[in-house]
Amino acid sequence: MARSTSKDAQALFQSLRSAYVATPSSLKIIDLYVCFAVFTAIIQVVYMAVVGSFPFNSFLSGVLSCVGTAVLAVCLRIQVNKENKEFKDLPPERAFADFVLCNLVLHLVIMNFLG
Amino acid sequence: MVKLCVLIAAVSLLPILCLSFSPDNPTDRRVLVLLDDLSLKSSHSIFFNSIKSRGFDVDFKLADDPKLSLQRYGQYLYDALILFSPSTDRFGGSLDLAGVLDFVDSGHDLILAADESASDLIRNIATECGVDFDEDSSAIVIDHKSYAVSETEGDHTLIVSDDFIQSDVILGSTKVEAPVLYKGIAHSVNAANSLVLKVLSASPSAYSANPSSKLSSPPLLSGSAISLVSVVQARNNARITITGSLDMFSNRLLRSGVQKAGDSNKYSKSGNEQFVTELSRWVFHERGHLKAVNLRHHKVGETDEPAIYRINDDLEFSVEIYEWSGKSWEPYVTNDVQVQFYMMSPYVLKTLSTDQKGLYHTSFKVPDVYGVFQFKVEYQRLGYTALSLSKQIPVRPFRHNEYERFIPTAFPYYGASFTTMAGFFIFSIVYLYNK
C-alpha cells in the first residue's frame, strides 16, 4: 500500500466538498443547524469545566437541549433524504411534523429541568 | 377539730417528708452501720462522729441482728451502708449478699472494710464489686521498707502509704500531707472491671503473706499491684469504697503520729483522718455529683426551640451543669464539656464554652445531611458522676421552594436552552420557506 501524503488528504477533502455541493439545500440547512447545536453544547461543557458542576441540573438541561436538538435534526435529515430508500414511503411533511412535536416535548422537559 | 389539726400537721409535714426523697438532693441522709461488735462504735468514734456532724442519721446495728432489713414495703430505709463487720458469715434478718448488691444496684452507696478475719460473705461482696481480696486468709500486707516506725520492732504489718490517686474530687482539694497508716489485708482490682479505681496503692516493696510463717513460695500479690483502698462508681452513680483495713478508720490510727521507716519527717498525726473523711464525703455524694439541666437549642437570632431544623441552619446550643457541694448546687466550671450532633456517628463534635456560672454554650451549623439527629452530652470524668444527656431533633432537607432561583453561574445554561429554542424556531421558518 502506498504511503499517504498531505496530497491524498487534500484530494480527499476536495472530493468530499464536491460531493457535498450536490447535496440538496434543505439538507444543508439541517447540517448547519446540527453544527450550531453541537457547538453550543461544546461551549457549555467547556464552561462547566471552568466554573464547576454547580448547578448540575441546569448544566444537564442546557447540554441535553443541544444534544436533543442535534439528534432530532439528524433524525429529520435521515427521513427527508430522497436517497434514503428506507423512508421513501414517508412524506417529508409527516417527518417535519414529527420533528416539531418531538422538539416541543424536548423543550418542555428542558424548561422543567432547568431549575 | 382534732381531725383538722392532724390534717394540717400532716400537710405541713409533707414537704419535709418529700424533701427526704428529693432527687435534687443527692447527698445521702440515712446511713446504716453494721458492726461485728458494738465496741467498734467507741473505738471508731472519730470517724462516726465526723459523719454525724455532717448531718447524717447514723444507725448502728449488729450484723447478726435478727431484725436487720434494708428495705420495708419496697422502699429503702437507708441511703448508704457501712459494713464494718468483716467476720460476719451471714447477716441477720433478711439481708444477704444479693440484698447488699441490690442495694447498690438501686443507686445506694457502700463502704466496706475488712480485716484478716474477713469472711466469705464479705469477700464475695467485694468480688461482686470488682475487688478481689487475697485468697490466703492468713495473709496480710507486709512492707519491710515503708512500715510505720514504732517503739517496738514489730513484724512490719503496720505500713504507711502515700501513693494516693491524683484526683481532687475523690480526695478533696487539700492534699493529704501525712502518709496513711494501714494494717490489714491486700486486694487487687479486677482488670476486667473498668469502673474500679485504686485510691491508695501499696509501695512497690509491699507483699501479701502470713507474717508468722516462713515464706515458702512467692506471694500471690506483691508491689503496686496491691491496692489498699479502692473505689467503684457504678454506672448508676452508686459509689463504693472497699478497703482491707478496718483499723484504718479506728481512733487509734486516726490519732496516732506517723513516721515512715527511713524518712526523717515525723508527722504528729497520720493522714488517716483527712483521708477517710474526704473519702466518705465523696462516697456519700457530698462532692463530685453533677447534674445537667436546661438543655436548650434554637436557631441563631431566635429564642424559641424549633421542632425541626433544616440542613445548613445555624443553631445555638446551651446546657447548664451544676455540682452538688453537699448543701447547694454550685456552678461547675471546666473547659472540656463537649456536645455531639449525632446520627449513628457524631457529625458535629464541639467543645462548649462556659460563662463560669454553670452555663455552657456553643453554636454550629447543622450538617448538610438530613435525618433524625440527637444532641448528646456524654461527660465522664474521674470521680465525677457521669452525665449522659440526649435530645432528639429531626433535620429536614430544603423545601422545593427554598432552593436558589436564577443562579448567576447557570446563566450560560439558561442562555443555551433559550438559544436552541430560538434556533429551532428560525430553523423551522428557514427550512419551510426554502425552496
Side-chain angles (χ1 to χ4, degrees):
Chain A
M1 212 176 133
R3 259 188 70 214
S4 60
T5 62
S6 64
K7 264 235 164 58
D8 293 336
Q10 263 181 7
L12 180 69
F13 280 118
Q14 217 117 70
S15 63
L16 254 176
R17 197 181 297 160
S18 60
Y20 190 70
V21 167
T23 314
S25 63
S26 65
L27 294 191
K28 282 184 182 166
I29 292 168
I30 297 177
D31 287 340
L32 191 66
Y33 183 51
V34 170
C35 288
F36 154 74
V38 169
F39 181 66
T40 317
I42 289 170
I43 289 176
Q44 289 177 73
V45 170
V46 170
Y47 176 74
M48 189 276 274
V50 174
V51 303
S53 65
F54 177 82
F56 195 59
N57 60 317
S58 299
F59 163 73
L60 280 183
S61 59
V63 168
L64 290 181
S65 75
C66 297
V67 173
T69 297
V71 168
L72 291 175
V74 168
C75 293
L76 177 69
R77 194 188 193 282
I78 293 169
Q79 293 179 27
V80 297
N81 194 346
K82 294 282 188 304
E83 288 170 34
N84 193 347
K85 295 289 172 275
E86 195 183 336
F87 294 104
K88 66 177 190 306
D89 296 337
L90 192 83
E93 291 79 10
R94 165 73 199 282
F96 189 74
D98 283 352
F99 170 72
V100 169
L101 184 69
C102 290
N103 258 291
L104 289 179
V105 173
L106 173 72
H107 284 112
L108 189 72
V109 172
I110 293 303
M111 282 302 113
N112 273 294
F113 196 55
L114 199 56
Chain B
M1 193 63 206
V2 174
K3 269 186 184 169
L4 193 68
C5 283
V6 170
L7 190 70
I8 289 168
V11 168
S12 58
L13 268 174
L14 207 60
I16 299 165
L17 283 172
C18 289
L19 199 67
S20 59
F21 305 119
S22 167
D24 245 18
N25 181 354
T27 300
D28 299 331
R29 297 265 59 101
R30 297 156 302 171
V31 181
L32 174 67
V33 183
L34 292 185
L35 306 169
D36 275 340
D37 180 354
L38 284 174
S39 65
L40 242 65
K41 220 167 135 178
S42 52
S43 65
H44 291 55
S45 60
I46 298 175
F47 175 65
F48 292 133
N49 286 337
S50 94
I51 296 177
K52 278 182 196 159
S53 68
R54 303 206 302 267
F56 294 93
D57 295 334
V58 184
D59 198 354
F60 294 94
K61 288 213 169 125
L62 281 174
D64 52 4
D65 186 333
K67 292 200 286 294
L68 197 58
S69 175
L70 286 180
Q71 53 180 330
R72 187 190 293 156
Y73 310 131
Q75 292 283 325
Y76 278 105
L77 300 167
Y78 304 98
D79 300 310
L81 180 62
I82 298 180
L83 285 180
F84 278 0
S85 55
S87 59
T88 306
D89 280 325
R90 56 187 300 271
F91 296 117
S94 57
L95 191 61
D96 56 0
L97 171 65
V100 174
L101 297 177
D102 283 343
F103 183 72
V104 172
D105 283 343
S106 56
H108 298 91
D109 307 316
L110 173 68
I111 295 179
L112 186 150
D115 62 8
E116 53 269 37
S117 65
S119 67
D120 284 346
L121 175 67
I122 297 297
R123 285 168 189 271
N124 286 341
I125 293 173
T127 307
E128 294 286 346
C129 298
V131 163
D132 300 315
F133 281 116
D134 192 343
E135 283 171 23
D136 183 357
S137 57
S138 59
I140 59 176
V141 190
I142 305 169
D143 197 332
H144 295 303
K145 282 196 76 167
S146 54
Y147 57 92
V149 173
S150 57
E151 282 88 41
T152 54
E153 181 71 11
D155 49 9
H156 300 165
T157 56
L158 180 64
I159 65 168
V160 297
S161 174
D162 50 7
D163 190 2
F164 303 110
I165 191 171
Q166 297 301 312
S167 168
D168 280 356
V169 63
I170 294 178
L171 292 182
S173 46
T174 324
K175 194 171 170 289
V176 185
E177 293 291 345
V180 168
L181 287 165
Y182 186 95
K183 183 180 172 65
I185 59 176
H187 66 256
S188 60
V189 299
N190 187 341
N193 188 332
S194 60
L195 300 173
V196 55
L197 299 167
K198 281 199 266 188
V199 170
L200 184 66
S201 309
S203 78
S205 55
Y207 64 97
S208 173
N210 185 347
S212 54
S213 68
K214 203 165 170 242
L215 205 55
S216 53
S217 57
L220 284 171
L221 284 173
S222 63
S224 305
I226 296 181
S227 175
L228 305 177
V229 181
S230 300
V231 296
V232 181
Q233 180 172 270
R235 293 199 172 84
N236 62 2
N237 295 333
R239 288 173 175 176
I240 305 167
T241 297
I242 295 175
T243 176
S245 170
L246 184 54
D247 286 343
M248 199 174 77
F249 298 89
S250 70
N251 294 358
R252 189 169 62 84
L253 294 193
L254 257 58
R255 284 282 166 261
S256 147
V258 59
Q259 184 183 7
K260 190 173 175 177
D263 191 344
S264 57
N265 273 346
K266 188 165 167 51
Y267 300 90
S268 61
K269 193 157 166 289
S270 70
N272 285 41
E273 181 166 9
Q274 190 188 350
F275 179 74
V276 298
T277 310
E278 293 300 327
L279 198 58
S280 70
R281 274 183 201 276
W282 179 81
V283 170
F284 292 156
H285 289 264
E286 289 173 79
R287 197 168 45 222
H289 192 104
L290 301 179
K291 76 165 179 182
V293 290
N294 293 338
L295 191 156
R296 287 202 186 94
H297 57 90
H298 56 82
K299 277 188 209 166
V300 171
E302 295 179 11
T303 49
D304 290 341
E305 191 170 294
I308 190 166
Y309 283 106
R310 196 191 66 190
I311 57 171
N312 296 335
D313 267 349
D314 287 301
L315 67 84
E316 283 177 356
F317 174 88
S318 68
V319 66
E320 289 170 34
I321 302 180
Y322 296 99
E323 182 183 359
W324 179 249
S325 70
K327 292 174 185 68
S328 58
W329 290 100
E330 302 294 335
Y332 176 65
V333 179
T334 184
N335 56 5
D336 56 359
V337 186
Q338 292 184 317
V339 63
Q340 303 173 26
F341 198 60
Y342 184 96
M343 180 169 69
M344 294 205 276
S345 64
Y347 279 75
V348 174
L349 177 64
K350 275 208 100 172
T351 305
L352 298 170
S353 42
T354 174
D355 69 346
Q356 312 287 321
K357 294 191 186 73
L359 180 73
Y360 289 80
H361 58 91
T362 190
S363 60
F364 58 87
K365 192 189 258 304
V366 175
D368 199 358
V369 180
Y370 62 86
V372 179
F373 279 85
Q374 282 176 313
F375 290 107
K376 268 193 177 205
V377 177
E378 297 282 345
Y379 189 72
Q380 282 143 9
R381 289 292 175 274
L382 181 71
Y384 287 100
T385 55
L387 287 180
S388 177
L389 302 178
S390 65
K391 191 166 193 180
Q392 189 171 298
I393 187 82
V395 173
R396 63 171 173 81
F398 285 111
R399 290 210 184 90
H400 72 280
N401 60 357
E402 285 175 335
Y403 289 96
E404 280 181 284
R405 291 311 283 275
F406 308 119
I407 306 160
T409 331
F411 282 172
Y413 308 134
Y414 304 156
S417 302
F418 287 108
T419 310
T420 49
M421 256 197 258
F424 165 67
F425 195 66
I426 293 163
F427 165 77
S428 302
I429 292 168
V430 171
Y431 181 79
L432 288 176
Y433 288 91
N434 162 61
K435 277 296 170 253

